[in-house]
Amino acid sequence: MRPKVIPVLAALLLSGCAPVQTVVNPAQLPAATDFGAHANPMEWWYVSAYLPAEGLALHWAHFRVQDSRVPVPLMISHVAVTDLRTGQLTFLEQPAGTGEVTSPPLRVRQGAWTLTQAGPEPMAPLSLKAGPLNLTLTPVKGPVLHPPGFSGSADTGVLFYQGITRLDLTGTVNGRAVRGQAWLDHQWGNQIPGRSVLWDWFSVHLDGGQDLMVYRVRRLDRSVAQLIGSVVEPDGRVRAVPGEVWDSPSGRRYTVGWRLVSDEFDLGVQAVRREQELLSRSRRIEYWEGPIEVTGTWGAAPAVGTGMMELVSGPWSP
């Protein structure tokens, strides 16, 4: 019976049945280099990349779910690869089970899937081996804590939010040589995605060297709990985006065309491919994840960029 116990417990934790822990204090922010595991109900490490020259988009996610009713943390991981030349979307999942996270150097493992850092230094390269992915990720910029350092609110739960916004990517996808740039996120806290909160998230690499992150956290009634944005400059400095205002052009469940406006920029965001809905049996949520292209202005200058977008719609029952 034990093989059935772990998936059931994972589903309970991800459905929001786990007791909310109160160890997440937004007034005590972690270091930007804090990539290790934490004693919180929810934590994840996440790599995404849009490779226009290769006609590919990909993301890998590793979730660490922890609760006092379970003797060890549960791990869940998945990989999605979109071949934009053929229109094929491949989504692979590992069922809930055991694994490990250690740091420094960072090592994340579930089964044969691993993310391993070459050394304890924050800028040390990382190796990602997961299903069709065999990649080397070399940080171009150092780790940052996205202002204000967390996502969410008291009523939705809070996740600390740090990562590396630009990494050089080389390696293979399904045995095919690729290169480009990637984005690495790390979040942890007491927020349960798809169950206690929904969100819309954008990561953009601009041709001018800036990296833009915009994050809208929504309650289950679709009201906005938080809207944050950050810019990581070409030299690695991070700052909050001033005066941002969102204008969604459509009422679709997955709004794949957006306009992001602030005092500093006016950017149009468009999905490269619409058919990017992912139905996760392990996480029990439905969401859209795929590549985006960005055009508009930054200050007085034209701006062009590429990135990934994630739109969490809500719970899903297989």
Side-chain angles (χ1 to χ4, degrees), residues 104-266:
L106 178 63
R107 175 175 168 80
V108 179
R109 180 190 63 80
Q110 185 186 6
W113 292 10
T114 60
L115 176 70
T116 306
Q117 196 163 24
E121 303 82 10
M123 299 290 285
L126 298 110
S127 172
L128 174 59
K129 297 181 179 181
L133 308 180
N134 188 351
L135 304 172
T136 297
L137 307 168
T138 304
V140 176
K141 302 178 182 180
V144 297
L145 195 65
H146 289 283
F150 62 91
S151 70
S153 60
D155 60 327
T156 65
V158 169
L159 294 173
F160 292 123
Y161 187 10
Q162 52 96 231
I164 300 174
T165 60
R166 193 175 291 237
L167 306 96
D168 285 337
L169 176 154
T170 59
T172 61
V173 176
N174 283 319
R176 172 178 150 195
V178 298
R179 64 174 55 248
Q181 293 189 320
W183 183 292
L184 168 64
D185 272 346
H186 177 214
Q187 292 188 260
W188 68 96
N190 58 7
Q191 189 185 103
I192 309 299
R195 301 292 171 169
S196 66
V197 68
L198 311 174
W199 65 78
D200 306 304
W201 170 84
F202 302 87
S203 67
V204 179
H205 291 140
L206 289 157
D207 287 357
Q210 302 95 340
D211 302 329
L212 170 67
M213 187 284 298
V214 181
Y215 203 157
R216 182 174 70 168
V217 179
R218 295 180 290 144
R219 302 176 182 89
L220 296 184
D221 64 4
R222 299 314 200 254
S223 62
V224 176
Q226 184 193 40
L227 175 60
I228 59 174
S230 66
V231 175
V232 181
E233 300 287 6
D235 63 4
R237 290 178 297 117
V238 63
R239 57 184 173 84
V241 173
E244 63 267 33
V245 177
W246 289 59
D247 181 16
S248 172
S250 155
R252 294 170 61 92
R253 180 162 54 181
Y254 300 109
T255 306
V256 295
W258 293 79
R259 185 184 177 201
L260 306 181
V261 182
S262 81
D263 294 344
E264 190 170 2
F265 57 76
D266 188 338

Side-chain angles (χ1 to χ4, degrees), residues 45-119:
W45 296 258
Y46 193 96
V47 172
S48 62
Y50 171 33
L51 312 176
E54 313 291 353
L56 290 173
L58 59 93
H59 81 269
W60 161 89
H62 178 98
F63 298 87
R64 183 177 185 270
V65 184
Q66 184 167 298
D67 184 79
S68 59
R69 298 170 295 179
V70 185
V72 296
L74 299 179
M75 310 293 184
I76 299 169
S77 52
H78 63 239
V79 168
V81 175
T82 302
D83 188 329
L84 295 163
R85 296 172 181 171
T86 65
Q88 182 177 358
L89 170 61
T90 302
F91 184 47
L92 305 175
E93 296 186 90
Q94 293 201 101
T98 58
E100 65 173 333
V101 178
T102 58
S103 179
L106 178 63
R107 175 175 168 80
V108 179
R109 180 190 63 80
Q110 185 186 6
W113 292 10
T114 60
L115 176 70
T116 306
Q117 196 163 24

